[in-house]
Amino acid sequence: EENMTVTEDFSRVENTYQMEAEVCIIFTDFGKMQNVCNLLIEKLGTAVTISPPHFYHTREAIDTLRRQVCVAAVGNTRRKAQEVCQLFGQSLGKPLLIKEEETKEWGGHTDSDLPHSPDSLTLQERIQSATAYASSRVFAVFEIKGKENRRNKLL
């Protein structure tokens, strides 16, 4: 309910009362939004008008994306280092240094810069223009362990 606002307007037209309501909902799940819109259209028919959605990302969502991208970059770096070690018959040890060197973000709209995009855009174009992307370049130094002689392991 904290993500929903309702504005109601009652008026008298001749001998009847008329009510108009505007409901604004902030969804965090695109599928739920589609289900609610479909349900409203199914139940209310032409009595309901659904405006095109405005897509944006909260600052918290962008911060989460940055962290996820950095963690994925470190994981990729470790896997690559492990493959190189295997080529030379070595084993990868613990990380000695991990440093995020560069982050890039592009696309996506945040809640502070909501675009007033023209209604002529299709839903797919709206989604595409609001999609956020991020990349992270990391530098990592790992310990390299030599393969011990099998005979030494047995002793």
Side-chain angles (χ1 to χ4, degrees):
E1 289 188 10
E2 72 241 10
N3 293 332
M4 180 173 68
T5 56
V6 179
T7 307
E8 297 173 345
D9 181 38
F10 289 98
S11 59
R12 185 176 177 153
V13 179
E14 296 179 8
N15 291 333
T16 62
Y17 288 96
Q18 179 178 340
M19 182 189 96
E20 289 186 22
E22 179 181 79
V23 180
C24 295
I25 305 173
I26 297 174
F27 288 94
T28 57
D29 182 321
F30 184 75
K32 270 188 190 174
M33 180 201 70
Q34 284 184 311
N35 290 340
V36 168
C37 290
N38 290 339
L39 179 69
L40 288 172
I41 290 171
E42 177 185 319
K43 298 294 182 189
L44 300 175
T46 58
V48 67
T49 303
I50 297 179
S51 300
H54 297 281
F55 297 105
Y56 68 92
H57 301 280
T58 62
R59 294 284 173 204
E60 295 82 15
I62 295 295
D63 289 342
T64 299
L65 176 63
R66 282 187 202 115
R67 283 192 304 278
Q68 289 171 340
V69 167
C70 182
V71 169
V74 170
N76 289 341
T77 302
R78 179 168 179 74
R79 282 188 291 284
K80 287 179 183 179
Q82 199 148 20
E83 288 176 19
V84 170
C85 283
Q86 288 173 351
L87 279 172
F88 295 106
Q90 305 292 314
S91 64
L92 190 66
K94 63 182 179 184
L96 302 174
L97 171 69
I98 297 174
K99 183 171 69 170
E100 187 174 36
E101 292 190 329
E102 179 184 37
T103 60
K104 288 183 185 175
E105 298 166 28
W106 62 99
H109 305 294
T110 59
D111 50 5
S112 63
D113 62 8
L114 277 175
H116 298 289
S117 55
D119 291 334
S120 62
L121 292 178
T122 66
L123 181 62
Q124 196 61 35
E125 289 169 333
R126 288 173 183 269
I127 292 170
Q128 187 174 1
S129 73
T131 300
Y133 301 92
S135 70
S136 177
R137 187 174 57 163
V138 297
F139 175 80
V141 177
F142 294 95
E143 177 181 66
I144 297 177
K145 300 177 182 177
K147 292 250 178 178
E148 295 181 16
N149 191 338
R150 288 179 84 94
R151 222 172 12 184
N152 287 346
K153 284 186 177 179
L154 294 174
L155 296 176

